[in-house]
Amino acid sequence: MPIIKTEKKKNGLQGYRVIVNYTDLDGKYKKIERTAYGKSDAQAIEAQLLAKVSSGGTAPSMTVRSLYDEYMQDKRHNVRESTCDKVRRTLEHIVLPYLADVRLDALNTKRLQIWKDTVASLDTKISTKQKQYQELSSLLNFGVRRGYIQRNPLDMIGNFKDVYFEKPEETIRYYTADQYLAFSRAARSSAEERGTAIEWGMYVFFSVAFYTGARKGEINALKWSDIEGNTLHIRRSITQKLKGEDRETPPKNKTSYRDLQIPAPLMSILNDHRQRQQCMPRWSEDWRICGGTETLRDTTIERKNHAYADAAGLPKIRVHDFRHTHATVLVNEGINIQEIARRLGHAKVEQTWNTYAHLYPREEERAVSVLDKIST
């Protein structure tokens, strides 16, 4: 099983032929031959080939593209459709253009470092690059679990880091309670002036967003049958990012299935809106609360969000930031972080704490005052 020096050189590195001879399970003599540049690269390729031959793994000619196809097939059975679509778009955008035709046995740290250097040069946020690294790492870990490669060579390189300074805490954007009320008045005024089902649906949409902290897809998916007394059952979501179609999916995670008590102001808004919809032909409990027979369009929601902010003289925030608005109102009133996590449908309370802990009032002085009273 020799490593033979050749007369070729590349980028100053000596060329080698890596040859592995073996007998397959049918007793047939086989030979695998690869070209490498640099002694360490040649030895690494030889080790990969020997490991694959000894484990009876898939043929070394398997490419990253082939692994990706198998990986996505597996993903479709194990994650939500919207999550699968995000993985697909990331890998097709930032991995396959550079590595699709690379054989798994040739996917060494040198080649992956070139990929990382290329991605590092792109004008994207460090957090985006880190997520792209994680997606490629997950793909290669899948290859390890399937026995196609012995180890994940990306582990030797490490994820992207901000080498200049420690990343400061990202600030979240939100409205205060008074700012929301100004926003809500602008939305209601627009609905009263135009009088259309869509305008009223928009007013109700942002009311639900503020009073419940639900995600955009969860609000769009709500039906009148999801209201039982003064309780709102969140059981589904709507995504509009899958091939231009509306897809009803389960909520984001297990804890996203939740029951929320409806605050009195929101209950009044919902009751009025139910009466408006009940006057329309063929109304039923299966109608979407905000959209009726259809769902509100994401692009229209975003456009109306900006329009209402302008009308109220407020800074613009994202639709998702209404979740932050809901949470910060509760944080500023000292509501337990675990209850806020439950209302938001977070899988782990640590996620909620990491996002909103800095908003809680400092209680150092109160803590010391308690200890001051304890003396021997």
Side-chain angles (χ1 to χ4, degrees):
M1 299 182 182
I3 296 178
I4 304 172
K5 185 184 294 187
T6 68
E7 295 180 357
K8 295 181 179 180
K9 289 189 177 181
K10 185 176 182 181
N11 297 328
L13 296 175
Q14 177 64 53
Y16 293 92
R17 291 170 57 209
V18 182
I19 303 173
V20 173
N21 301 303
Y22 69 102
T23 303
D24 67 13
L25 296 177
D26 296 325
K28 295 180 180 179
Y29 171 80
K30 296 272 182 84
K31 179 174 75 171
I32 305 173
E33 184 172 335
R34 298 285 182 264
T35 299
Y37 291 92
K39 190 64 175 287
S40 61
D41 198 21
Q43 290 173 336
I45 289 177
E46 181 188 41
Q48 289 176 1
L49 293 179
L50 288 173
K52 195 168 295 292
V53 167
S54 62
S55 66
T58 297
S61 60
M62 186 178 196
T63 63
V64 172
R65 163 68 75 175
S66 300
L67 180 64
Y68 162 80
D69 290 339
E70 193 169 325
Y71 178 64
M72 293 309 300
Q73 184 65 32
D74 180 77
K75 275 283 183 186
R76 279 189 278 272
H77 301 299
N78 291 289
V79 299
R80 297 172 73 236
E81 190 175 10
S82 55
T83 301
C84 188
D85 189 62
K86 289 179 182 178
V87 173
R88 178 190 62 77
R89 284 186 280 114
T90 297
L91 293 176
E92 289 188 356
H93 171 67
I94 207 68
V95 173
L96 295 186
Y98 306 101
L99 299 173
D101 296 329
V102 178
R103 297 190 311 268
L104 294 186
D105 61 312
L107 194 63
N108 51 33
T109 54
K110 178 181 176 181
R111 193 179 292 269
L112 288 171
Q113 185 63 56
I114 293 173
W115 170 82
K116 185 180 177 183
D117 291 343
T118 301
V119 176
S121 68
L122 301 178
D123 186 21
T124 54
K125 295 190 298 184
I126 187 68
S127 58
T128 299
K129 293 171 183 173
Q130 289 170 341
K131 290 177 182 177
Q132 292 165 345
Y133 174 98
Q134 290 166 358
E135 291 297 352
L136 175 55
S137 184
S138 296
L139 171 66
L140 297 179
N141 283 334
F142 174 79
V144 173
R145 292 195 300 272
R146 288 294 176 96
Y148 300 153
I149 50 178
Q150 194 172 29
R151 62 180 178 82
N152 184 345
L154 199 59
D155 291 342
M156 301 293 292
I157 297 176
N159 206 336
F160 294 91
K161 296 180 180 178
D162 193 330
V163 298
Y164 296 107
F165 52 83
E166 184 177 350
K167 184 178 180 181
E169 184 180 72
E170 288 188 1
T171 57
I172 60 174
R173 304 183 66 189
Y174 57 91
Y175 287 149
T176 64
D178 287 342
Q179 286 177 317
Y180 164 73
L181 290 175
F183 180 96
S184 180
R185 286 192 292 270
R188 184 177 181 89
S189 176
S190 179
E192 290 173 341
E193 179 182 346
R194 297 174 184 268
T196 66
I198 289 181
E199 284 291 338
W200 280 111
M202 291 292 173
Y203 168 64
V204 173
F205 176 94
F206 286 106
S207 299
V208 175
F210 172 77
Y211 283 108
T212 69
R215 300 176 179 91
K216 176 173 62 177
E218 294 171 342
I219 300 173
N220 254 337
L222 288 174
K223 299 179 179 181
W224 290 109
S225 57
D226 293 322
I227 297 178
E228 186 177 9
N230 68 340
T231 300
L232 182 67
H233 303 293
I234 296 181
R235 296 291 183 267
R236 67 187 74 82
S237 183
I238 289 285
T239 180
Q240 297 178 14
K241 296 181 179 179
L242 300 172
K243 299 179 181 179
E245 301 176 9
D246 286 357
R247 300 283 187 88
E248 185 174 292
T249 67
K252 188 173 183 179
N253 50 57
K254 187 189 300 183
T255 53
S256 293
Y257 288 92
R258 58 201 189 278
D259 298 330
L260 302 177
Q261 186 172 343
I262 303 173
L266 178 59
M267 181 62 78
S268 176
I269 292 170
L270 291 173
N271 287 338
D272 289 346
H273 192 54
R274 178 193 284 261
Q275 290 178 11
R276 276 190 293 270
Q277 283 197 0
Q278 285 176 332
C279 294
M280 301 173 70
R282 296 182 296 279
W283 179 88
S284 79
E285 291 282 330
D286 281 334
W287 274 29
R288 306 289 182 188
I289 290 177
C290 297
T293 57
E294 299 180 354
T295 54
L296 300 177
R297 310 315 302 162
D298 287 351
T299 52
T300 306
I301 293 172
E302 194 61 59
R303 179 165 52 81
K304 291 296 182 180
N305 175 34
H306 291 173
Y308 301 151
D310 286 338
L314 295 170
K316 296 180 179 67
I317 64 175
R318 302 172 304 165
V319 173
H320 183 77
D321 292 329
F322 279 81
R323 275 170 65 78
H324 295 323
T325 297
H326 175 80
T328 52
V329 167
L330 299 181
V331 165
N332 289 329
E333 292 298 323
I335 300 300
N336 184 285
I337 194 72
Q338 194 159 2
E339 170 58 16
I340 296 175
R342 187 192 72 81
R343 293 186 66 83
L344 295 176
H346 282 168
K348 296 182 179 179
V349 72
E350 290 83 2
Q351 178 185 354
T352 318
W353 180 253
N354 291 338
T355 304
Y356 303 111
H358 66 287
L359 297 176
Y360 275 87
R362 290 179 58 85
E363 295 199 341
E364 181 177 355
E365 293 182 4
R366 195 167 75 87
V368 172
S369 69
V370 170
L371 296 173
D372 283 344
K373 297 175 184 178
I374 304 174
S375 60
T376 55

